[in-house]
Amino acid sequence: MGNDTVIGLEIHVQLLTKTKIFCNCSTDYFDQEPNSHTCPVCLGLPGSLPVLNKKAVDFAILTALALNCHINESNIFHRKNYFYPDLPKAYQISQFDRPLAENGFLEIRTEKSAESRNIRINRAHMEEDAGKLIHLERDGKTSSSLVDYNRSGIPLLEIVTEPDIQSSEEAIVFLQTLRSIVQYLGVCDGNLERGSMRCDANISIRNKENGELGTKTELKNMNSFRAIRQALDFEITRQRRLIEQGGKVLQETRRWDESSGKTVFMRSKEEALDYRYFPEPDLLPLFISQSWIESIENNIPELPDERKERFMKDYKLPHYDANRLVEVKPLGDYFERAAKNYNNYKQLANWILGELLCYLGQENIDIDKSPITPVALIELLELIDRGVISGKIAKNIFEEMFKTGQSAALLVEKSGSTQISNKEEIDDIIEKVVRDNCETVQDYISGKEKAIHFLVGQVMRYTKGRAQPDMVLSLLRERIDKT
Ligand code: ADP
Ligand code: ZN
Ligand code: MG
């Protein structure tokens, strides 16, 4: 098989401006009354004129710079013409041959490969989003369609990669890396399910004999990482089989169908010609001065990669932990808030990446809504460090904290689960375990070192995990040596 898979991605990133790209309507449209965030401009009424939102350009430049792109000084907006009811003007204001940015790259590292790779960015251009169609069904067929223009005119940055991606895994890593960056930049919330980041994937199989690129298909309608991965894997297999059987891949757009787990034919590919692009006469050319670029460049915040390096250096975390903590910005923020007042960093990372993420995931709660705050978590960890409770008991306490929001100290006190550190308290139990397990004791005496661990386990069971295993071990040795 090898690397004969060729993938290029086109990603639409919704920019987090307060208002739309060409009018003053609010962009805060999610879950709002349909058509409540509209005006003559974004409804495309005759006589209305677009005015470019400077903040959208700032965000676009910022993102393009983070993707190592060259910013074009002279920008032109074009009309991309097509008829579809979600597009009120029957054209979309976009960019064509003079996009905002070109020739960038994004460095990615997959879990399997030791080396990182650069995926080249062909271009990044600005455009407006379209409205949304809602199809009503009767007897399994569309009976009528409604249109909601709240999304019409939301600013988008479309990022187009070169066909450099070699597997579905790399595609996912690319998207995760990109999502992480736009979140750190504060230009997009990166929510695939809600569609604030949308990805179309182009895919083909390279001819193994002559190395030539094959005919590509374009996949649409994937709104989660899982869907993207499944769609790509399905399509790779479909194309490979087709070629093996002597068939030909046709250039077409295919839709991912979640319910059947297949990509299905949508339409044959349209050409740029079909869109009759021409310069938008209602907007001036956009000139981006060097000083404008520099002012943005000087304000690029810390990005995930730099933060990862800093976590490894300042907190002495291993690469894996640092990488996972920084990928989602609020998770890294959570760690840093806790690390301000707590310096057993590795233990902190373990608890965040282990217990905390596990419980949050089960309940589908975002880290910034965690019922256990950073302060509450370090309170628990300090109880372990001081030997008040065992790590095992701490896990039970953690669960209670998560459920009730109560503090570790209070829950420990209530449950009476402080660790036994006083020798007399365990002596009786040791006595009982030694008497009840003569055979195991004999095994130990006759040289089977491992047998003693069974005895330690028994003591831990009777104390409900409240004894310190190290102390139990030495007390048991002492006791048996006496006989
Ligand atoms: P089109 O002219 O069909 O729009 P482009 O050359 O503009 O094609 O590329 C669109 C997207 O398709 C880009 O992301 C690009 O990387 C990708 N792409 C181009 N050729 C291939 C190919 N043979 N296989 C996979 N992806 C491709
Ligand atoms: Zn509007
Ligand atoms: Mg193209």
Side-chain angles (χ1 to χ4, degrees), residues 87-141:
L87 200 60
K89 301 190 292 292
Y91 60 84
Q92 176 192 32
I93 303 180
S94 180
Q95 294 191 295
F96 181 50
D97 52 0
R98 302 275 281 279
L100 179 96
E102 293 172 281
N103 298 329
F105 65 88
L106 179 60
E107 189 182 328
I108 62 163
R109 175 179 281 130
T110 55
E111 249 169 62
K112 276 184 228 145
S113 69
E115 303 266 297
S116 62
R117 271 188 0 100
N118 285 346
I119 304 299
R120 288 171 301 157
I121 308 287
N122 172 283
R123 58 189 266 145
H125 68 255
M126 304 182 66
E127 62 186 28
E128 57 179 341
D129 211 340
K132 217 173 197 162
L133 292 177
I134 300 148
H135 302 287
L136 303 180
E137 280 190 12
R138 190 181 297 154
D139 307 327
K141 283 192 203 129

Side-chain angles (χ1 to χ4, degrees), residues 44 92 143 169 247 280 353 447 483:
Q92 176 192 32
S143 59
E169 192 205 358
E280 166 62 67
L353 296 174
T483 44

